[in-house]
Every structure is written in C-alpha cells, then in structure tokens.
Amino acid sequence: MSAPDGSPVGAERSIGQLFASATTEMSALVHDEIALAKAQLKQDVKRGATSGGAFSAAGVLLLFSLPMLNFALAYGIRTWSGWNLAVCFLLSFAANVLVAGVLALIGVVFAKKAKKSKGPQKVAASMKETAGVLQKAKPHPRSETAALEDRSPQAIEAVARSSS
C-alpha cells in the first residue's frame, strides 16, 4: 500500500511531502464538496421548475378552459337537472376553480420541498467545519535535528512543486 504521493505507508516522509499530500487531499475535498453543492443546487432548481410549471399549468388551464368548459358544463347541467341556466354556469365555473386549486396545491407542495431543501447550505457548513478543523490543527513539536533534516533539497523541491 502507498500514500497518495507514491511513498510507502509507514515510511518517514518529509514536511514537504506531508504538506504536498495534505494540499492535494484538501484540493480534492474542496472539488468534491463543490460538485456536491452543484448537484444539490441542480435538484433544488429542478423542484422549483416543477413548482413553476404546475402553477403555470393551473393558470393556463383556468384561462383557456373557462369558456369551453363553462358552456359545455352549464348546458350539460341544464339538460340533466332543468335548473336555471345562470345557476348552471356558476356550477361550471366552480368546477374549473376546483381543478385549478388542485393544481395550485401541487405547485405549493413542490415549492415547499424546494424551499425546505438546504443542500447548498449543508455543504457550506461542512466546508466551514473542515476549514475550522484545519485552522485548529497544530504541528507536533520536533527536535532540532529533525528540523535540519527536513531542509534537504528534496523537501524544498517537494514544497516548491506543491505550491506551483
């Protein structure tokens, strides 16, 4: 088994190698969290679009169906019941409002789901937590000889490569 930089696990690694490895892993973590935020945001936008589509469908249905459905339903009620034509038209309109209300409720349900979803906020909180943990991390105390050994050309080169 080997570490991300290719060195064997358990082998002594220099500060430069450790820093390069930590930088690589932190970069991968940030990229993964950004991808997660994008995926959750895409899902929220999809729910919002569904909600908007349901509201639009309710409005279009109410607008375009009123004349045709009112006449057909009103004359149908009149034929079936023999009531006054004005009452039949009112019942026809009430039926259209009922259908539009059901579609509006569907839109409200999807809007609440989209609003309730806190996907990007969760990812942002996770990233802040990760940054907080890294800021609180302190290196272990080292002896003078270990500090001098880490200043070898290989350690300096590893740090230079990781920062470019």
Side-chain angles (χ1 to χ4, degrees):
M1 218 170 137
S2 63
D5 63 355
S7 65
V9 173
E12 293 294 321
R13 299 191 315 182
S14 69
I15 295 272
Q17 291 171 330
L18 291 172
F19 184 75
S21 175
T23 303
T24 302
E25 291 174 13
M26 179 57 89
S27 175
L29 176 65
V30 168
H31 286 292
D32 289 344
E33 289 193 8
I34 289 171
L36 175 62
K38 284 181 182 179
Q40 289 176 340
L41 189 61
K42 185 177 181 181
Q43 184 180 20
D44 290 345
V45 167
K46 190 175 183 180
R47 285 184 182 151
T50 303
S51 171
F55 280 125
S56 298
V60 167
L61 177 69
L62 186 61
L63 181 68
F64 290 126
S65 70
L66 285 179
M68 292 296 272
L69 289 177
N70 280 338
F71 281 103
L73 191 56
Y75 283 111
I77 292 171
R78 167 123 173 145
T79 302
W80 176 69
S81 68
W83 294 342
N84 185 359
L85 194 56
V87 172
C88 295
F89 272 102
L90 285 175
L91 288 174
S92 174
F93 176 73
N96 286 329
V97 169
L98 181 68
V99 171
V102 168
L103 287 173
L105 284 176
I106 291 170
V108 167
V109 167
F110 277 102
K112 283 184 179 180
K113 282 184 181 179
K115 188 176 183 180
K116 189 186 289 186
S117 176
K118 303 275 189 215
Q121 290 85 355
K122 288 179 186 176
V123 172
S126 171
M127 290 179 76
K128 285 179 184 177
E129 183 180 332
T130 302
V133 167
L134 290 176
Q135 286 176 349
K136 293 176 184 176
K138 295 180 182 176
H140 295 291
R142 302 180 326 175
S143 65
E144 288 270 334
T145 57
L148 293 175
E149 289 174 0
D150 284 339
R151 292 187 179 188
S152 67
Q154 294 170 342
I156 294 170
E157 182 181 330
V159 171
R161 273 185 289 162
S162 68
S163 63
S164 61

